[in-house]
Amino acid sequence: MHDIQNQDDLYLLVDEFYKKLLADDAISYIFTDVVKIHIEEHLPILVTFWSQAILGTGGYTRNLTQIHLDINAKEHLTPELFKIWLGHFYQTVDEHFKGEKAEQIKTQALSIATIMQIKIAQEKDK
């Protein structure tokens, strides 16, 4: 098993990860009913995000926090949903990759999930 090395690796990771999310009834409704993502359009955006975060390629210009706050305004993103998201993410990374970048992307995912939950809680307290 090799480490994450390029955008093709990230595409595999994100594609397999979303297959898990969309197959899990406990979280899939966020993507199918609330956000109504078009997976073919969404995957390249996610690859660009993770490529910037892990490989330093740049190119991601969206406001990740605001996107999640907007989703939360439609449907509360609970700590349980973040736990499910992280579980599927970790599992997908571990099934396909091993190494420094694989560990880095899992740490980054945990940081993102933590920050999003803090921002959502702050919004609720306003």
Side-chain angles (χ1 to χ4, degrees):
M1 199 176 309
H2 70 275
D3 201 359
I4 297 168
Q5 299 171 348
N6 53 44
Q7 290 194 333
D8 288 341
D9 290 341
L10 290 170
Y11 191 90
L12 170 71
L13 171 63
V14 171
D15 187 43
E16 292 298 315
F17 171 54
Y18 267 77
K19 286 176 185 172
K20 285 180 177 33
L21 289 175
L22 293 172
D24 185 336
D25 291 341
I27 195 168
S28 63
Y29 72 96
I30 295 292
F31 303 96
T32 58
D33 300 342
V34 178
V35 180
K36 297 182 172 115
I37 64 163
H38 299 283
I39 197 70
E40 317 78 39
E41 297 168 15
H42 196 55
L43 290 181
I45 295 166
L46 293 169
V47 170
T48 300
F49 171 80
W50 286 114
S51 181
Q52 178 171 300
I54 301 305
L55 304 175
T57 56
Y60 185 83
T61 57
R62 296 177 179 207
N63 183 332
L64 189 64
T65 302
Q66 192 58 54
I67 290 167
H68 287 84
L69 290 175
D70 291 348
I71 296 167
N72 186 68
K74 295 177 187 176
E75 178 74 27
H76 180 54
L77 298 177
T78 64
E80 182 60 28
L81 289 170
F82 282 100
K83 186 176 176 186
I84 294 166
W85 184 90
L86 274 174
H88 286 308
F89 194 83
Y90 289 176
Q91 181 184 11
T92 308
V93 172
D94 291 342
E95 285 172 356
H96 297 279
F97 302 102
K98 182 178 177 113
E100 185 181 330
K101 296 288 186 197
E103 292 306 311
Q104 182 184 349
I105 204 167
K106 290 190 295 186
T107 301
Q108 185 98 24
L110 175 59
S111 295
I112 291 166
T114 303
I115 290 166
M116 291 304 144
Q117 289 178 80
I118 291 167
K119 295 290 187 182
I120 286 168
Q122 287 172 341
E123 228 13 61
K124 190 175 86 174
D125 293 340
K126 284 185 177 177

